[in-house]
Each structure stands twice: as structure tokens, then as C-alpha cells.
Amino acid sequence: MNGIIIKRILQIIDFSPLLITHSYSHAVETSTRSFDDWGLRCSTAASPICEISQSMVNKKSMKKILDLFVTVGEKKNSYRARVIVPLGAWLQQGVTLSVGDRRVRSSGYLYCLPVGCVADLTLSSDMITAMKKANDGFIIIADLKQQQINFKISLKGFTKAFNGMRDKISALTSKK
């Protein structure tokens, strides 16, 4: 996947599970930016939130098959990821993010929507460091036959996107 596809996906899709949790009773500005295979999106809601994301697209059909969103957590130096996988995943297995020798597994799926099934992962500082150093990683799920499926994710641009997210959050919170 390249930056052009990411930019196009960000333009076409206005669905972000982290940003939609904000109340839209007030006008909310959003900004987007691309860093190779990662996109950065920020909201200037009452409490600003930013996330970086990558979408996987089937190259033949151009249909989205997976979304990975990363944002800062509620505690200092904590991070979380939200993964949306295709319908037909074996729900009891959950989702695993694997980067080098680091692995983090969800406790299960939160819910399923027509766009796919959603799982949350807590990411340690060590996992973020591993993602910054690696070229790629894997989102691992199981299908309905309980067969493992590995989705390879690109980490090209992750470091720039992650640092951009932290800088933007810092800038937005210092304005308040």
C-alpha cells in the first residue's frame, strides 16, 4: 500500500471509531495528514483527540478489509489500538497485533457492525517502540473455520505519524 491509496481512503471514508465517540452537538473541526502508509486525523472537539490509522484494501476489488487505529490512552504513556476486521472472524479468538517478538492480544471483540468486527488493544510503550523500529507487523485473527489469518501491516511512516499525533495533541491542548 502506498501513501496515495491512504490519502484516497481518508477522503472516501469518514468513519473513525475513536472520533465518533465525541458528541457532535458543537462544531468540530477535523484535520488529516498522510505519512507514507499511515494517516493522521485530529478533532478539535471540547477535548481534542488525534489518531493515526492504516487501512488495508483488497488490490483487486479496492474494498477495505481491515482498519487499524492508534491513539494515546487515558493514562500517561499509555496507548490503545482499535482494529476493525472483516465479518466472518471467529469472535472467541480475538485479535493479536504482532511486531517482531512483541505480541498483544485483545480480550475479544467489542461488537460487530456492517463494516466489520471491532476489537481494542492496549499498547505498551515497548510495543510502540517496536512499531517504530520495524518495517511491518501482523494483525492475526481466525476465520469461522478457526484457521489463522495473518494480515501484514506496513509500518512505513508509523514513526512520523505517531510523533505528528503527539505534537498535534500537545499543540491543541496548549491552546485551551
Side-chain angles (χ1 to χ4, degrees):
M1 186 181 321
N2 62 36
I4 294 171
I5 292 176
I6 293 290
K7 286 180 188 177
R8 184 67 183 134
I9 290 168
L10 287 172
Q11 291 169 348
I12 293 171
I13 301 166
D14 194 34
F15 173 76
S16 166
L18 298 174
L19 292 178
I20 64 171
T21 60
H22 284 289
S23 168
Y24 283 95
S25 59
H26 297 75
V28 175
E29 283 184 42
T30 58
S31 62
T32 59
R33 190 167 169 205
S34 294
F35 299 89
D36 295 312
D37 293 340
W38 286 81
L40 166 63
R41 182 172 170 169
C42 293
S43 160
T44 59
S47 58
I49 186 168
C50 293
E51 64 188 7
I52 57 176
S53 63
Q54 182 177 135
S55 295
M56 292 183 116
V57 176
N58 180 308
K59 291 181 182 182
K60 289 182 182 177
S61 68
M62 290 306 291
K63 290 188 179 188
K64 185 169 50 162
I65 56 174
L66 183 125
D67 282 313
L68 172 60
F69 300 88
V70 176
T71 191
V72 295
E74 294 176 12
K75 297 178 183 173
K76 187 175 180 171
N77 295 323
S78 70
Y79 309 94
R80 47 180 257 217
R82 180 158 287 181
V83 182
I84 303 174
V85 302
L87 294 173
W90 183 251
L91 299 179
Q92 292 176 343
Q93 165 97 15
V95 173
T96 299
L97 171 62
S98 176
V99 178
D101 63 349
R102 301 267 181 222
R103 287 183 154 223
V104 62
R105 184 166 180 241
S106 72
S107 58
Y109 290 91
L110 300 172
Y111 49 84
C112 292
L113 299 167
V115 296
C117 295
V118 180
D120 273 350
L121 302 163
T122 300
L123 305 178
S124 67
S125 293
D126 289 342
M127 177 56 91
I128 294 296
T129 299
M131 293 173 78
K132 287 180 173 184
K133 291 179 179 178
N135 294 322
D136 52 46
F138 292 92
I139 297 291
I140 304 165
I141 67 168
D143 64 14
L144 290 176
K145 296 178 184 176
Q146 299 181 37
Q147 299 297 309
Q148 182 172 304
I149 301 172
N150 298 327
F151 292 102
K152 186 175 184 177
I153 57 168
S154 168
L155 294 170
K156 182 179 179 186
F158 178 83
T159 299
K160 289 179 184 176
F162 184 83
N163 293 340
M165 174 180 67
R166 291 186 57 152
D167 292 346
K168 186 71 171 180
I169 290 171
S170 179
L172 289 171
T173 54
S174 69
K175 288 181 182 179
K176 301 231 171 215

